[in-house]
Amino acid sequence: MADSAQVPTLVYLVTGGCGFLGEHIVRMLLEREPRLRELRVFDLHLSSWLEELKAGTQNVIDACVQTGTQYLVYTSSMEVVGPNIKGHPFYRGNEDTPYEAVHSHPYPCSKALAEQLVLEANGRKVNGGLPLVTCALRPTGIYGEGHQVMRDFYYQGLRFGGRLFRAVPASVEHGRVYVGNVAWMHILVARELEQRAALMGGQVYFCYDKSPYKSYEDFNMEFLSPCGLRLIGAHPLLPYWLLVLLATLNALLQWLLRPLVLYTPLLNPYTLAMANTTFTVSTNKAQRHFGYKPLFSWEESRTRTIQWVQAMEGSAR
């Protein structure tokens, strides 16, 4: 959020500023926002249940209204759209591509409700009488330095002697985006909201870059292969029905252990459906509306991520 009353010296509040993406946004603001006067970081580790996230988003909107903060950029997710639980592919779609968003997992449901709250708040009067201007960014699968799932895959590969086993057909494509480019898009949106409020207010934007379309496993190997890991199998080594069974058992075990420990398996029904459904975006809406271009090329994004994995490799010895 940026408080327009402070222009040309801006005050930003980054909620979730200690998380994976939040840390990169904070760093990007410090490095590339010359009008930054004050940066405030707020982070509170809450559970991911539906009503808590919805209430938290409503609290942020209410705080904007009460403090007279005029601009709110919400970090949504492509999972607001899909992949849906029916496994329908989304191939090179954009923000206007028809797609049946059908979800059952708490995360996409909660993100969809929170995004709806933010977009519906666009135009609401804040303290002082000015309208609140909101928009939402929907990153595809984010990767880069600090990515917990990438870290989990790396250590899993080490436990299996430097090997990972293919579970998803290579033909299933996903759009991925480097975390630095997601942070950069947030900065550009915050800069342009004041001047382009009529155009950008109430809008959603897929957040993407030039990273190649590949399956999750093949994409991850772009970074893990240079660090000594191998992906075994040209085709999935286990039949899909068996993966469904294992994912269901993991979900049951997670539910049974919830009162005692936090068990978060990589494989569960939601991640299995995500990984096995093609979901790729191709859109220039962000470029047309506020001049977005990736700050980091694919080559630089790949190099930075490999160096981070290699640093983990050294620390694991």
Side-chain angles (χ1 to χ4, degrees):
M1 284 178 285
D3 187 343
S4 63
Q6 299 295 333
V7 175
T9 54
L10 299 177
V11 177
Y12 281 82
L13 168 65
V14 181
T15 60
C18 297
F20 170 46
L21 175 58
E23 288 186 356
H24 286 266
I25 293 175
V26 168
R27 188 177 302 115
M28 190 72 68
L29 281 166
L30 293 172
E31 293 175 354
R32 295 185 175 271
E33 180 50 84
R35 298 184 298 166
L36 180 65
R37 181 176 71 85
E38 184 178 342
L39 177 58
R40 303 174 184 177
V41 177
F42 176 79
D43 201 332
L44 182 61
H45 296 287
L46 295 173
S47 67
S48 61
W49 295 107
L50 180 64
E51 291 303 322
E52 290 182 348
L53 182 52
K54 178 181 176 183
T57 303
Q58 187 62 58
N59 288 339
V60 171
I61 294 170
D62 292 342
C64 290
V65 172
Q66 294 167 13
T67 62
T69 300
Q70 197 180 351
Y71 304 104
L72 174 61
V73 182
Y74 177 65
T75 305
S76 188
S77 170
M78 72 167 191
E79 294 172 49
V80 165
V81 180
N84 63 27
I85 59 176
K86 296 183 178 181
H88 296 160
F90 189 85
Y91 185 79
R92 309 295 194 269
N94 61 37
E95 293 86 348
D96 299 317
T97 301
Y99 189 77
E100 186 181 9
V102 183
H103 301 298
S104 61
H105 192 271
Y107 179 76
C109 290
S110 61
K111 293 296 283 188
L113 282 174
E115 179 187 276
Q116 181 181 0
L117 285 174
V118 169
L119 298 180
E120 289 177 349
N122 185 67
R124 182 177 172 183
K125 292 294 188 294
V126 303
N127 189 19
L130 294 173
L132 178 62
V133 184
T134 70
C135 72
L137 304 187
R138 294 174 176 170
T140 54
I142 307 177
Y143 70 93
E145 307 94 303
H147 186 215
Q148 183 60 48
V149 175
M150 186 79 71
R151 182 184 285 114
D152 291 342
F153 274 117
Y154 174 69
Y155 287 121
Q156 178 178 297
L158 292 183
R159 289 194 297 271
F160 285 98
R163 295 170 295 175
L164 292 168
F165 300 92
R166 185 180 294 279
V168 177
S171 59
V172 178
E173 292 185 338
H174 289 272
R176 304 290 291 274
V177 59
Y178 177 59
V179 64
N181 287 325
V182 181
W184 177 234
M185 185 181 282
H186 280 73
I187 305 308
L188 289 179
V189 168
R191 286 179 180 175
E192 297 298 326
L193 267 182
E194 180 179 10
Q195 299 300 321
R196 307 187 188 195
L199 175 65
M200 297 172 60
Q203 294 291 322
V204 296
Y205 300 95
F206 277 127
C207 194
Y208 62 101
D209 56 18
K210 302 299 183 182
S211 300
Y213 299 119
K214 292 188 175 186
S215 73
Y216 269 114
E217 293 172 329
D218 288 299
F219 189 86
N220 289 343
M221 293 312 294
E222 289 282 346
F223 319 106
L224 300 179
S225 289
C227 299
L229 270 61
R230 293 181 299 133
L231 182 62
I232 306 300
H235 304 284
L237 298 184
L238 296 176
Y240 185 72
W241 68 264
L242 182 55
L243 290 174
V244 171
L245 177 60
L246 292 174
T248 303
L249 290 175
N250 272 337
L252 177 60
L253 186 59
Q254 183 180 30
W255 179 76
L256 291 173
L257 293 176
R258 182 173 297 148
L260 303 174
V261 296
L262 180 62
Y263 174 59
T264 55
L266 285 174
L267 179 64
N268 59 58
Y270 177 64
T271 58
L272 182 62
M274 285 278 295
N276 277 274
T277 304
T278 290
F279 199 97
T280 59
V281 303
S282 180
T283 171
N284 66 354
K285 181 178 178 180
Q287 193 279 328
R288 289 185 286 110
H289 281 203
F290 53 91
Y292 166 76
K293 293 181 181 179
L295 183 63
F296 301 96
S297 67
W298 158 241
E299 291 75 17
E300 187 173 2
S301 303
R302 182 174 183 269
T303 297
R304 284 169 167 255
T305 306
I306 290 172
Q307 290 173 345
W308 169 69
V309 176
Q310 288 173 333
M312 286 196 297
E313 180 183 13
S315 64
R317 291 174 179 172

